[in-house]
Amino acid sequence: PLGEQLRRLDLVRTAEGWLGVQEGSADHEAIIDIYNSHTPLAQGYAVTLDDNWCAAFASAIAIQQRRTDIIPTECGCERQIELWKEMGNWTENGAHMPLPGDYIYYAWDDEREWGDCTGWADHVGIVVGTSGPFIKVIEGNKDDQVMYRYILRGYHQIRGYGLPNYAGIG
């Protein structure tokens, strides 16, 4: 439905508004401030400027969009995955065709070249779109900035996807 697609694209546009933000800059601090302003604060922990901030960035986008009812906020990838599971909106299906606005998780330490990625998730991004076998993702804390990543769909280090229920929004 058109409304769902527009909500997905709106979330992606919000994330893209931060493209190029460098760690340590005033805009990086603004992202962290958005995350820390949300209550209740996940784990009761205020993210600092020295912390890894990929999940805080992904959560800050949900906070900016007022979509925390369909996107769990968290400063740690594994804890965020557990929240997706509790919502019933998590998939580890390697054949999943992600849509804009889906959240993608990686386990960079999972060195196997085939089979399910079951490693500890240590990074997250927001799907921008797909083209052929590639997924375009926007991520905070990629090389210490907000950047795009292009990754093969089904890549062995993709841990899974958080699937916000954009259709369920009025």
Side-chain angles (χ1 to χ4, degrees), residues 21-147:
V21 168
Q22 297 280 330
E23 187 173 293
S25 70
D27 284 339
H28 170 234
E29 187 171 347
I31 291 167
I32 301 306
D33 287 347
I34 290 168
Y35 175 83
N36 286 334
S37 72
H38 183 68
T39 55
L41 199 55
Q43 305 296 313
Y45 179 77
V47 173
T48 71
L49 295 176
D50 295 324
D51 288 328
N52 289 329
W53 51 284
C54 60
F57 170 74
S59 294
I61 301 307
I63 293 164
Q64 277 190 287
Q65 283 281 301
R66 297 190 172 116
R67 299 287 185 226
T68 58
D69 55 335
I70 63 166
I71 301 168
T73 59
E74 184 51 76
C75 58
C77 295
E78 275 295 321
R79 289 192 302 264
Q80 197 168 35
I81 287 171
E82 289 306 312
L83 295 172
W84 286 112
K85 289 178 179 178
E86 288 174 19
M87 296 171 75
N89 293 340
W90 172 254
T91 186
E92 294 179 14
N93 180 349
H96 174 70
M97 178 59 82
L99 297 171
D102 286 351
Y103 280 50
I104 183 173
Y105 294 80
Y106 313 98
W108 296 131
D109 291 336
D110 194 319
E111 295 298 327
R112 72 183 89 213
E113 293 186 21
W114 55 271
D116 283 344
C117 177
T118 57
W120 184 265
D122 48 19
H123 197 64
V124 60
I126 300 170
V127 174
V128 173
T130 58
S131 180
F134 294 98
I135 306 167
K136 182 178 182 180
V137 182
I138 188 165
E139 302 170 5
N141 202 31
K142 180 183 183 302
D143 298 328
D144 298 329
Q145 58 186 306
V146 178
M147 294 178 61

